Amino acid sequence: MATSYLIRSVTQSCKLGLRFNPTVNSNAYIFHPSTSIVQISFSRTYVSFVNKVTADQLWSGVTSVSNAGKKRGRGRSVKKRLDLNRGQRLGVGKSEMVFPGLTGPAMTGKKILEVYQPKKDESAEAASAQKKVPERKRRFPKIPALLRGYSGRKFPGTSIGPPDPINDYVFNGFDSKVLEYKIVNHMTGNLGRKARISALVVTGNGNGLAGFAVAKAATGKAALRKAKNMAAQRLQYFERYQNHTVFHNFAVTESKTTIFVQKKPAGHGVVAHRVIKTMCELIGIKDLYAKTEGQTGIIQNVTKAFFKGLMEQETHQQLADRMQLNVVEYRPEMENVPIPVAKPSQGFSRPDPVKEEAFDFNNLYYKDGRIPLKKYVDPDLQFKLPSTLRYFLNQHKHRNQRHARYLRHVHGLEPSPEEVKFRQKPLK
Amino acid sequence: MAASITFSSLRLLSTSSRLILRNNIIRCLSSTQSGSQLTTDAATERDPFPIFSDKKVQDLLFRITGYDYLKVAGPQKKKISPAVYKLLTDEEMQKDIDEAKERLKFRVQIPPFMNPRKRHLTPLIVDPDLAGFDTSSYVFVDVSFGLKDRQRSVLMRETNGDLRVAPWDVKERMNGIFNPRVGREYMKPKMFEEQFLEKLIVQKKYLYILDRACCQFEPDDPDFIRTTRRVYNAINSMQDFDLLRSTRHFGSLAFYLAWNASIDDLLLDMINRDLLSDAGDLINLYCLIHPSSSCTQELSNVSGKDPDVCIQAYLKTDSKKKSQHELSLQAILDARKAKQKLKTQTN
């Protein structure tokens, strides 16, 4: 009994932080029954510096950075100290034995207590077990898919809310989105390469009003705020055709970036470079096709070009006034009836009609007489290649089957798919 | 006549066809066309179709309907494709618009207003010798080229040996097989059942129901009549008349209301919308349908058919919402006066 008592106390003290050689031999414990004294011999074979320095010194060696290093931006990703004894209580082991005189009172009244193991309170243990496993916070909380940007957890494409109010004016209905977010560097005498964050932000109310700005700051947050508020002070108003698309096809170039924009009917949606898509969202353009050519990765040029192109549009009213003629629209879904969209402001048109060959609205606004090449696509291509023809025939035999099945089910001629599945289940 | 006869039955048998049709076919068919013995209670019910198809009534209905060519044109459900733009002088544009209006006029043609058709009860030939010739009836369909669905003869030899004109549902099925039409389904769509119809009416999809009913049914089909009357009643109670303007159903609606002498709500709607000439036309229609009404007698003394005179006569005699009508009329006339005053002042 006494043996286990003492040995345990020694091992206990090991746990408490006294440094022992890890290669302690269990034979080193010598027991003298007469004296009840334990002699312990240590084999002092030093393996590494780990045995020479204190825990504190060891930790500071791993976790600290020099002052000069701090200045140059080192030590940001340095590890923090860990409490290796977390969850352990002094004098309490796994089996929670009570050692009178050590972990509890030695006597009750005049009676000397013996070592004993108290009965465990199961409910308390379960409670403590629950406590012991704290829910680990996610380092990066999950972002809903619709709030994520273009790629991963990066800024471009994400919304950063409306611009800050200016005095009493609150930007109601506005939203801002990041188009570009990057690190830019310059050299200084003292610090060498110094980095800043550059952000390109577009803000708009989805109803024709929008602006963009680039801003740089030491922190990303500041750069975004600066760009957003600058964009709010550079708002432009764009007229849109029936609040859903542009007035006409156009091409616009900025530096080495060229955008070919096409007017599209309602229901088409925006099919364009992701940056143009974002801008359309904020301006309030719902239907458009854009082809970006040249340097498509220089976001600032794409943005500039698109804003410039929209600003240079000619509205139908301006066209009617310029030509002194009625602008008339023919839409297939409206049975191609003439729909007047603009009349000359003077109230009547000029007498002589425009010649059909001279007027092509689709190519009216391309500069220098250069129009985009439209490649001929054979509409009957699927019947000409053996592979596509085979695919067509394969699809063709399934045509309308789904709908016919649905109708048979509706009229009660055939059980529903759920019913069929249920019937196929084995009998129990 | 009867250039070719095909068989359609639940069982496909051709061997005994001659035997079954051994009676003189031509006699049968001619008797169906001339006689067509219908049930007898038709005489008591008044037939609206002669009045409806009268030119005068048709003109009135067309005028009441209104003709907004843009509303008539669409938008239709189509694959989206880009619009075409043209620069036109005033003359060219007007010419185009007139052409388009003429082109789309068929869209507002009013579906016939008819009484429900009657069942054929009397067999053409009773032939007890043929009783039990087969376990299923045989149907004989005339598929001569150029025959219209309503003219097509469909006869049925029943298992008890009777030869009779096929019931309407069999005739429609045969028409559906030999002359399928776009939008007409072989089986009656579920939406025309009362419970589903109710849902659509609550959602105010009147136009959808009426268009589809026109596609699916003949105008004298009891289902067509039930469905359309149900929708007209809903529109009348909800005062949703404007949803049907410039569509082919507005004329039917007006005729239905006038036929049942309940034009008061529609009249109120017209007065409120400052459509007084339409209101006059509606009262004229009412008078044409009900020649013995007191309003007709009141108007018979007046020579000119000025809308104001018509309205006043109706308010005096047959109006069931007299006070409301008078109030609205007064408000509209006052507004007109104020407008004129403004005009003269500005001039």
Side-chain angles (χ1 to χ4, degrees), chain B residues 136-299:
Chain B
S136 41
S137 306
Y138 281 35
V139 179
F140 303 91
V141 185
D142 185 356
V143 291
S144 312
F145 179 75
L147 214 58
K148 291 192 173 170
D149 279 0
R150 285 180 81 83
Q151 303 167 335
R152 177 166 292 135
S153 308
V154 179
L155 303 186
M156 193 156 87
R157 177 71 80 175
E158 293 190 338
T159 46
N160 62 5
D162 294 356
L163 182 71
R164 56 170 72 239
V165 176
W168 289 110
D169 61 326
V170 175
K171 183 173 178 180
E172 304 234 303
R173 266 161 59 202
M174 293 306 120
N175 279 335
I177 289 168
F178 291 107
N179 185 20
R181 292 189 188 182
V182 177
R184 181 172 291 192
E185 287 186 13
Y186 183 71
M187 296 182 89
K188 193 175 87 177
K190 288 267 172 185
M191 66 170 257
F192 293 115
E193 284 173 19
E194 197 51 49
Q195 40 175 338
F196 302 117
L197 196 62
E198 200 61 44
K199 276 185 193 169
L200 287 174
I201 286 173
V202 169
Q203 293 169 23
K204 302 202 172 183
K205 293 189 172 173
Y206 309 127
L207 210 52
Y208 175 65
I209 302 171
L210 293 172
D211 279 343
R212 199 154 184 212
C214 273
C215 257
Q216 183 67 28
F217 304 120
E218 289 294 310
D220 56 354
D221 190 324
D223 272 328
F224 178 79
I225 290 160
R226 176 184 58 83
T227 312
T228 51
R229 309 283 150 97
R230 174 79 192 76
V231 175
Y232 296 152
N233 285 336
I235 291 172
N236 193 33
S237 61
M238 298 296 290
Q239 318 265 313
D240 284 332
F241 304 107
D242 206 38
L243 292 179
L244 289 200
R245 285 215 167 80
S246 293
T247 70
R248 61 191 316 192
H249 308 292
F250 194 85
S252 295
L253 168 72
F255 191 86
Y256 170 73
L257 295 177
W259 185 257
N260 291 319
S262 54
I263 57 169
D264 300 84
D265 285 326
L266 180 56
L267 191 68
L268 187 64
D269 181 76
M270 284 171 168
I271 294 173
N272 282 339
R273 287 176 195 278
D274 197 3
L275 299 168
L276 293 190
S277 70
D278 279 8
D281 285 342
L282 183 66
I283 289 160
N284 282 331
L285 177 70
Y286 174 80
C287 294
L288 283 174
I289 292 173
H290 302 285
S292 56
S293 68
S294 46
C295 180
T296 318
Q297 278 151 18
E298 177 86 18
L299 276 176

Side-chain angles (χ1 to χ4, degrees), chain A residues 78-144:
Chain A
V78 141
K79 282 170 189 167
K80 283 177 184 167
R81 286 189 183 208
L82 281 179
D83 181 7
L84 295 176
N85 298 324
R86 211 177 61 154
Q88 293 177 346
R89 278 187 290 154
L90 206 67
V92 181
K94 229 178 192 178
S95 55
E96 297 182 0
M97 296 284 281
V98 175
F99 297 100
L102 258 180
T103 59
M107 308 171 81
T108 51
K110 287 184 178 176
K111 197 187 169 194
I112 298 173
L113 287 175
E114 290 190 351
V115 176
Y116 71 100
Q117 186 174 18
K119 273 185 186 172
K120 276 184 184 174
D121 186 1
E122 280 188 11
S123 64
E125 193 185 2
S128 67
Q130 269 189 353
K131 253 188 191 172
K132 264 183 191 172
V133 192
E135 275 189 28
R136 275 190 69 188
K137 248 190 177 179
R138 271 187 94 109
R139 196 169 159 204
F140 299 111
K142 198 168 186 184
I143 308 169

Side-chain angles (χ1 to χ4, degrees), chain B residues 13 89 106 196 206 262 274 328 336:
Chain B
L13 287 173
T89 61
F106 77 99
F196 302 117
Y206 309 127
S262 54
D274 197 3
S328 306
R336 276 189 182 184

Side-chain angles (χ1 to χ4, degrees), chain B residues 112-130:
Chain B
F113 192 92
M114 300 169 96
N115 269 343
R117 61 200 176 190
K118 300 291 190 297
R119 280 168 57 204
H120 306 285
L121 291 179
T122 328
L124 301 171
I125 296 162
V126 177
D127 205 340
D129 296 350
L130 280 178

Side-chain angles (χ1 to χ4, degrees), chain A residues 241 263 265-266 268 323 325-338 348-354 359 361 410-411, chain B residues 69-70 73-76 78 80-90 92-93 96-97 100 103-104 107 185 187-190:
Chain A
Y241 176 66
K263 176 179 189 165
H268 179 275
M323 302 291 281
L325 286 166
N326 297 298
V327 181
V328 186
E329 185 187 56
Y330 297 79
R331 292 195 341 234
E333 74 269 22
M334 291 292 280
E335 294 291 332
N336 287 323
V337 298
F348 53 89
S349 74
R350 72 181 197 211
D352 53 318
V354 73
F359 178 78
F361 183 80
V410 164
H411 288 293
Chain B
Y69 80 103
L70 288 180
Q76 308 287 328
K78 270 187 186 173
I80 55 167
S81 43
V84 172
Y85 290 86
K86 286 181 185 170
L87 290 179
L88 301 180
T89 61
D90 288 344
E92 284 174 323
M93 190 172 74
D96 257 23
I97 289 175
R103 178 156 56 87
L104 292 181
R107 285 254 172 100
E185 287 186 13
M187 296 182 89
K188 193 175 87 177
K190 288 267 172 185

